[in-house]
Amino acid sequence: MDTHTEVEYFEETIDIMDGITIKQNKHHLRIVGPLGKISKNFKKIPIEFKLEQNKLYIKTINNKKTDYAILHTIKSIVNNLMKGLITGYTIKMKTVYSHFPISIKIKENEIHIENFIGERHPRIIKIHGNTKAKVVSGDIILTGNVLTDVTQTAADLQLRTKIKNKDPRVFLDGIFIQSKSNHID
């Protein structure tokens, strides 16, 4: 009597969007679209890719519950990369101050926040990936193709200007997300 049962692996299919081309080399994906190109390495993630015609197949190496979650995370990441290369992402951030006027300067790959709550030295935030930042009448507009890079830059800005150990009803100073959109303005 054979007690050996076949192991079932998790599999998903991603339809490649119009205007997008994907090149696959083992765990490395190179995605090209109208707004540029992105390379993403999934080497440390236990999955396999298979590219056929206009579809990308993703398969797990194991069959655990965590592998199922990883599979859907990878599917979401690849879909967001394709959407970013077609439309891009924009986050508008509002600069709020009530005590000391905040000035924002963009220098190379960094955002310098000067005079935040009267500090003499600027707070410096690194811009992630290929995200572009510009200052329009004191507010910041972040644009880019990769959702994780744009949102991480916005989160870093908001966290670096969070005021601690003071009454939040009085000290409203900071940089806050005003709006998000799935296109580059």
Side-chain angles (χ1 to χ4, degrees):
M1 188 164 138
D2 188 23
T3 59
H4 178 68
T5 58
E6 190 163 322
V7 179
E8 183 180 321
Y9 297 104
F10 303 111
E11 232 179 289
E12 279 290 329
T13 304
I14 299 174
D15 293 326
I16 298 174
M17 299 176 182
D18 293 334
I20 298 289
T21 57
I22 297 179
K23 293 180 183 174
Q24 180 240 339
N25 184 7
K26 291 188 180 183
H27 295 287
H28 188 81
L29 293 180
R30 183 176 171 86
I31 305 170
V32 180
L35 295 179
K37 55 188 169 190
I38 300 171
S39 292
K40 189 77 171 166
N41 192 352
F42 296 100
K43 185 177 181 181
K44 295 184 179 183
I45 300 174
I47 57 166
E48 294 175 353
F49 289 107
K50 185 177 174 186
L51 186 63
E52 286 182 1
Q53 295 170 353
N54 222 13
K55 296 189 184 297
L56 180 67
Y57 297 96
I58 308 170
K59 183 178 177 183
T60 60
I61 294 174
N62 300 316
N63 63 344
K64 298 177 184 172
K65 193 175 185 180
T66 55
D67 294 316
Y68 184 75
I70 288 170
L71 179 74
H72 287 280
T73 301
I74 298 304
K75 182 179 178 181
S76 176
I77 289 170
V78 172
N79 279 327
N80 284 338
L81 291 173
M82 288 191 294
K83 287 178 193 172
L85 287 173
I86 291 174
T87 59
Y89 299 101
T90 301
I91 295 180
K92 294 181 182 176
M93 302 190 77
K94 185 81 175 156
T95 303
V96 179
Y97 56 88
S98 58
H99 294 89
F100 299 99
I102 300 171
S103 65
I104 300 167
K105 295 180 180 156
I106 298 170
K107 297 179 180 176
E108 295 176 18
N109 206 20
E110 297 175 336
I111 299 173
H112 293 248
I113 302 168
E114 298 175 349
N115 201 32
F116 181 70
I117 59 172
E119 294 175 339
R120 298 206 183 268
H121 297 289
R123 293 185 180 202
I124 300 172
I125 290 92
K126 182 182 176 280
I127 298 174
H128 294 274
N130 291 330
T131 304
K132 306 276 187 275
K134 65 179 176 178
V135 179
V136 178
S137 65
D139 297 336
I140 302 171
I141 299 175
L142 302 171
T143 58
N145 297 340
V146 183
L147 179 64
T148 53
D149 290 343
V150 176
T151 53
Q152 187 61 54
T153 303
D156 289 349
L157 275 168
Q158 193 163 345
L159 287 173
R160 286 287 282 147
T161 58
K162 184 176 182 179
I163 296 180
K164 299 173 186 168
N165 303 324
K166 294 197 181 343
D167 188 356
R169 295 169 295 177
V170 177
F171 292 91
L172 302 172
D173 300 19
I175 299 174
F176 304 98
I177 294 175
Q178 183 177 8
S179 66
K180 300 177 188 177
S181 63
N182 287 343
H183 56 82
I184 295 177
D185 293 336

